[in-house]
Amino acid sequence: MTTGSCITLSSGQKVAMIPSLLTNVSALRQAVEIHNAVLVEGVPGCGKTTVVHTLVTLSSEREDGSGKCHLVTLHLGEHTDAKMLVGTYQCTGVPGEFQWKPGILTRAVLEGWWLLLEDLDQATADIISLLLPLVKHGYLLLPGYVHPLHAANNFKLICTKRSAGEVLFKTNLLEVLEDHLFVLPLPSIP
């Protein structure tokens, strides 16, 4: 990709490949090639999400197909709970019968998808507790399951976090989780 060219992201957004974006995409590419969990940190509006989506688009455009990845995005907030990520039992058409429906995190881990968790600084303690073994050891612990779910080879966890502003749930758990993520700081836009 050359400076000055444009690409269209899966959202339909057109992005100009300016030098700073190319630099940030290259840094993120290197980070996800080495690490399974990356934290992209920067001030609001610096392009954290755009960098991730640009990398996914460019990876999917490789001629040999080696970079294809499936990206799922989830915006974390005070109302996001761990059940939404893990999954729940749901009623079937048969009275008294329930069926397990995996949540987005469980599906991403099993299928080898890339998962973008926006605003990690807004995550509640139950979500951070759920992510910690995944980031530290590469497996997901599900309630009621004896064995952990090991992440598929292609699974990547990319989180974003605002480096300025108010943090809703600043906890020691968040600091512990951040210690196990590769942190990629993005510079603010001049």
Side-chain angles (χ1 to χ4, degrees):
M1 189 59 46
T2 59
T3 301
S5 60
C6 288
I7 64 167
T8 303
L9 304 180
S10 60
S11 64
Q13 175 187 12
K14 289 191 182 280
V15 177
M17 300 306 290
I18 60 174
S20 60
L21 180 59
L22 287 169
T23 300
N24 292 336
V25 168
S26 177
L28 181 59
R29 174 179 281 130
Q30 291 173 9
V32 298
E33 285 175 355
I34 298 169
H35 306 279
N36 288 328
V38 177
L39 175 63
V40 181
E41 186 176 55
V43 297
C46 74
K48 298 179 291 290
T49 303
T50 300
V51 168
V52 174
H53 285 275
T54 301
L55 174 59
V56 169
T57 300
L58 292 175
S59 295
S60 296
E61 290 177 351
R62 289 186 186 165
E63 290 178 17
D64 64 359
S66 64
K68 291 208 179 228
C69 55
H70 181 80
L71 177 72
V72 179
T73 302
L74 181 65
H75 295 266
L76 298 176
E78 60 185 281
H79 299 293
T80 310
D81 67 356
K83 283 186 271 182
M84 178 183 190
L85 296 175
V86 172
T88 59
Y89 283 96
Q90 297 182 346
C91 295
T92 66
V94 178
E97 183 178 272
F98 297 89
Q99 182 178 16
W100 173 254
K101 178 145 171 81
I104 195 65
L105 176 60
T106 303
R107 290 191 63 204
V109 165
L110 291 173
E111 301 290 331
W113 297 344
W114 287 23
L115 180 61
L116 173 59
L117 295 179
E118 296 268 17
D119 301 324
L120 184 64
D121 48 309
Q122 304 297 309
T124 56
D126 63 330
I127 290 175
I128 294 169
S129 296
L130 178 67
L131 294 173
L132 199 52
L134 181 60
V135 170
K136 283 177 72 172
H137 306 293
Y139 57 75
L140 185 60
L141 297 173
L142 296 179
Y145 279 69
V146 176
H147 302 288
L149 291 178
H150 291 275
N153 288 337
N154 296 335
F155 173 76
K156 299 291 181 184
L157 177 64
I158 303 173
C159 304
T160 66
K161 178 185 164 200
R162 290 171 272 194
S163 58
E166 185 177 321
V167 176
L168 269 184
F169 299 105
K170 186 64 174 175
T171 65
N172 289 338
L173 273 177
L174 180 58
E175 292 171 1
V176 169
L177 181 63
E178 288 176 9
D179 286 344
H180 296 283
L181 295 166
F182 177 83
V183 179
L184 178 64
L186 295 187
S188 59
I189 298 173

